Amino acid sequence: MAISMGKGSVGVLTGVFIASLAVVVAVLLLRTYNLPELKVAWKGKGAPRIELEEDEREQLYEALKGALRIPTVSFSPSEQNTTALEEFKEYIKSAFPRVFNSSLVEYELVGGYSHLFNVQGSDNSLLPYMLLAHLDVVPATPEGWDLPPFSGEEKDGYIYGRGSLDDKSRVIGILQALEFLFKKGYKPRRSFYIGLGHDEEISGRHGAKEIVKTLETRNVKLEYLLDEGFGVLDGVIYGTKRPIALIGVTEKGAITLNLTVNSPPGHSSMPPRESSIGILSAALSRLEQNRLPNLFGTGPEGSTFEQLANEFYWPLNIMMANLWFFNPIISRLMALTPSGNAIVRTTTALTIVNGGIKANVIPATATATVNFRLHPAQTVEEVLNMVSEIIMDERVILSAIKAFDPLPISPYDEENFGYQTLKRTITDLFSVPVAPAVCTVNTDSRHFVNLTESVYRFSPVVMTAEDLGRVHGLNERISREGFETGIQFYWQLIQNSDSDTVPVHRHSEL
Ligand SMILES: *[C@@H]1O[C@H](CO)[C@@H](O)[C@H](O)[C@H]1NC(C)=O
Ligand SMILES: *[C@@H]1O[C@H](CO)[C@@H](O)[C@H](O)[C@H]1NC(C)=O
Ligand SMILES: *[C@@H]1O[C@H](CO)[C@@H](O)[C@H](O)[C@H]1NC(C)=O
Ligand SMILES: *[C@@H]1O[C@H](CO)[C@@H](O)[C@H](O)[C@H]1NC(C)=O
Ligand SMILES: [Zn+2]
């Protein structure tokens, strides 16, 4: 009896289990195959493509090369090549005469070397937007480069130079597009600003921040703002079928934390049980061993994968379409690589350690610096609390040298003018799917959050994993076509932004 009842229960349980499994599988498949098709067709016509004459094409390559030859290097937080920054002012004036002599443009220098352009539209009822880029670059020495980093030379269809990706191709791309637009007699309907910062690589304190102050004194509000970002990623996201454009809708926050341990100094012949170096090392080790929590899916990174689910190969497509179910697996898989890990959590990086000067002296002080990059779902306060709990030693004095919260999440819904206008321009030009994403690095755009809720980060260039390594690395370069496509992008974006309605798309059949 007992046995047969047992058998019956097992049978019922198995039945229930199989039934629920069938339901789960059905839901997973339904969700996967009913995803909105990302290959969208837009209602109405977008801006036409630019038709370039051969001499205009040469002119645009020369404009970039000339900019790359001016070493606008930010050496350290307090040191920039101001000679080069001066030279850059004169350079853009001569390279883009129409931008500077147009009656539609108000131009001013800000913070000594940054540039602010206000391009006057004909319809004052439309809120202006802003294109932001930076003209400073990180240092580069010729060692390891195929062509010298400040030569603006070309090889195999690629223009080499520090800044060719980050960010002079955008500085020149924006100005060149506007120069061509004026040449063809274009008059914008919607006003816009162009901001070119001169110290992005060292915080934007004198450039972008001063531009913001200038605009704030004039009570300027923006419809949207576009700054540098990921671009069109080709073969970068594991398991995807084709290149994908990511628009940064937020940036991680950051904390630079100093750890200090003081202990009585003494001779190494009679060391104390615990030294300042030992106490500090133990604290650092605990920080590295105990990573902050995996928060995958609690920020916009969940939307990135959900919106792109169709773009993944089987079975990743089913998993991405059903993060509610597969989140525990995906989040663990992501954490396996440094780049994936940076997406799922607040990262902890031990960057500086100092202590001791003499082999036979116990130092009185040991210090270290740890850099955290905050996941969008966390705040500075929360992270600092977690860090003290992990260290659990009040002999370790913590002081945050620099700290800011993750940036607000910009809207990416169907009603948002800026996001949809960008998305439309990207799909028209690159024919790739577009999704929102979290930027793991910071840009000048973070200074603008009080001027608009719609801050986006996107660079109109196709980037492979190898290209990503060239940014701030060796042999930074851009292909001729890649650069021309960038100009095409701004040419179309500026015209698409003249609309007063949000672009609407209809999902097309495959
Ligand atoms: C600074 O830029 C000028 C050109 O504008 C260049 O001649 C000079 O070598 C640069 N200085 C350094 C230290 O790179
Ligand atoms: C502006 O510059 C362009 C190109 O050099 C020139 O053709 C045009 O005449 C100039 N316009 C004015 C108003 O100076
Ligand atoms: C923070 O610590 C680093 C060494 O890790 C030291 O060089 C720096 O001066 C410290 N900063 C402050 C503000 O104490
Ligand atoms: C934005 O405004 C708030 C409130 O006035 C201020 O505390 C904050 O510093 C501003 N942020 C920026 C980036 O200017
Ligand atoms: Zn940059």
Side-chain angles (χ1 to χ4, degrees):
M1 184 71 189
I3 289 170
S4 75
M5 214 180 103
K7 265 189 181 160
S9 309
V10 169
V12 169
L13 278 181
T14 313
V16 168
F17 178 72
I18 289 174
S20 8
L21 198 67
V23 169
V24 168
V25 168
V27 172
L28 296 182
L29 292 177
L30 260 175
R31 284 183 55 100
T32 308
Y33 296 106
N34 278 307
L35 288 173
E37 179 49 53
L38 281 167
K39 196 168 180 214
V40 291
W42 297 86
K43 287 207 179 113
K45 267 177 126 169
R49 286 192 170 229
I50 187 173
E51 303 291 339
L52 290 176
E53 307 289 334
E54 213 32 60
D55 63 319
E56 289 174 326
R57 193 161 275 131
E58 269 327 299
Q59 185 189 331
L60 66 92
Y61 299 134
E62 285 312 310
L64 177 63
K65 290 178 189 175
L68 295 175
R69 288 184 192 118
I70 306 172
T72 49
V73 177
S74 290
F75 294 104
S76 75
S78 54
E79 202 193 351
Q80 293 193 270
N81 188 336
T82 50
T83 318
L85 290 172
E86 279 294 344
E87 204 181 303
F88 206 87
K89 290 180 193 170
E90 300 313 312
Y91 178 71
I92 54 175
K93 281 180 192 158
S94 66
F96 308 108
R98 288 182 182 81
V99 172
F100 283 87
N101 76 10
S102 167
S103 60
L104 297 174
V105 177
E106 280 168 39
Y107 164 77
E108 65 201 288
L109 262 180
V110 179
Y113 308 100
S114 286
H115 307 269
L116 177 62
F117 304 81
N118 178 6
V119 186
Q120 201 51 54
S122 57
D123 187 343
N124 280 329
S125 70
L126 301 177
L127 264 189
Y129 62 101
M130 183 158 191
L131 305 174
L132 196 63
H134 67 90
L135 45 97
D136 64 323
V137 295
V138 294
T141 51
E143 291 84 53
W145 284 64
D146 295 345
L147 294 167
F150 298 104
S151 65
E153 283 176 35
E154 197 178 320
K155 199 177 104 178
D156 304 331
Y158 287 91
I159 298 166
Y160 282 68
R162 174 61 84 227
S164 55
L165 291 169
D166 177 18
D167 187 35
K168 282 179 176 166
S169 49
R170 292 182 59 258
V171 169
I172 301 302
I174 294 167
L175 293 175
Q176 185 69 73
L178 187 57
E179 178 79 10
F180 283 149
L181 281 163
F182 282 146
K183 192 174 171 189
K184 312 262 152 135
Y186 170 76
K187 291 191 172 65
R189 183 162 167 242
R190 188 188 289 272
S191 298
F192 60 101
Y193 291 90
I194 297 171
L196 308 175
H198 72 275
D199 60 351
E200 191 273 348
E201 299 291 358
I202 49 173
S203 82
R205 204 168 50 234
H206 303 292
K209 233 173 159 170
E210 290 301 315
I211 292 177
V212 170
K213 267 195 205 153
T214 307
L215 296 176
E216 275 177 342
T217 58
R218 293 173 201 163
N219 294 317
V220 171
K221 290 285 172 205
L222 300 171
E223 179 64 47
Y224 75 90
L225 176 131
L226 177 65
D227 196 6
E228 61 183 330
F230 291 110
V232 180
L233 299 179
D234 184 359
V236 174
I237 305 175
Y238 176 80
T240 48
K241 300 179 203 164
R242 52 179 175 152
I244 280 158
L246 294 182
I247 299 179
V249 295
T250 182
E251 288 172 22
K252 293 184 89 176
I255 303 174
T256 302
L257 187 68
N258 264 20
L259 282 63
T260 307
V261 179
N262 298 309
S263 66
H267 196 272
S268 65
S269 57
M270 287 184 292
R273 183 71 188 81
E274 281 184 294
S275 64
S276 52
I277 293 180
I279 296 166
L280 180 69
S281 308
L284 292 174
S285 172
R286 280 197 290 280
L287 277 180
E288 201 167 68
Q289 298 299 317
N290 298 284
R291 297 196 292 184
L292 292 164
N294 187 325
L295 296 171
F296 181 67
T298 56
E301 74 280 352
S303 303
T304 309
F305 293 94
E306 247 157 9
Q307 293 198 13
L308 292 174
N310 265 340
E311 297 301 324
F312 286 88
Y313 287 111
W314 186 89
L316 283 173
N317 59 342
I318 297 182
M319 297 172 85
M320 297 301 180
N322 295 283
L323 287 181
W324 59 277
F325 189 76
F326 289 107
N327 193 316
I329 302 176
I330 302 273
S331 58
R332 281 183 181 78
L333 287 177
M334 300 263 305
L336 293 178
T337 63
S339 58
N341 188 51
I343 295 174
V344 302
R345 62 160 48 88
T346 296
T347 52
T348 305
L350 313 183
T351 51
I352 308 177
V353 54
N354 272 319
I357 36 157
K358 224 164 165 267
N360 60 355
V361 176
I362 309 279
T365 305
T367 61
T369 302
V370 183
N371 190 242
F372 299 89
R373 297 301 174 100
L374 276 59
H375 183 277
Q378 285 193 309
T379 62
V380 167
E381 203 189 333
E382 272 169 45
V383 170
L384 289 177
N385 286 338
M386 286 183 169
V387 165
S388 341
E389 275 172 29
I390 292 170
I391 294 178
M392 275 289 241
D393 187 341
E394 63 252 16
R395 292 170 300 177
V396 181
I397 303 157
L398 304 181
S399 61
I401 316 220
K402 195 182 89 178
F404 59 91
D405 285 326
L407 295 206
I409 296 165
S410 299
Y412 49 89
D413 56 89
E414 307 260 305
E415 269 78 54
N416 185 272
F417 179 84
Y419 187 82
Q420 294 302 331
T421 301
L422 269 172
K423 184 170 170 177
R424 166 175 205 159
T425 310
I426 296 167
T427 45
D428 279 355
L429 189 57
F430 293 95
S431 307
V432 294
V434 179
V438 177
C439 271
T440 46
V441 294
N442 296 116
T443 68
D444 263 349
S445 69
R446 68 195 165 101
H447 301 297
F448 288 78
V449 294
N450 286 344
L451 298 182
T452 175
E453 61 166 7
S454 300
V455 175
Y456 303 107
R457 301 128 187 114
F458 174 77
S459 299
V461 62
V462 178
M463 301 280 277
T464 62
E466 196 197 338
D467 294 327
L468 290 174
R470 295 172 191 268
V471 174
H472 291 204
L474 298 177
N475 287 317
E476 186 178 346
R477 65 179 197 186
I478 191 167
S479 71
R480 285 169 75 99
E481 306 79 65
F483 179 55
E484 192 180 320
T485 305
I487 288 163
Q488 183 76 249
F489 173 81
Y490 293 111
W491 165 272
Q492 284 175 273
L493 180 68
I494 290 170
Q495 297 181 72
N496 286 340
S497 296
D498 275 337
S499 171
D500 51 11
T501 52
V502 181
V504 179
H505 60 255
R506 52 194 157 72
H507 303 302
S508 66
E509 300 306 316
L510 256 176

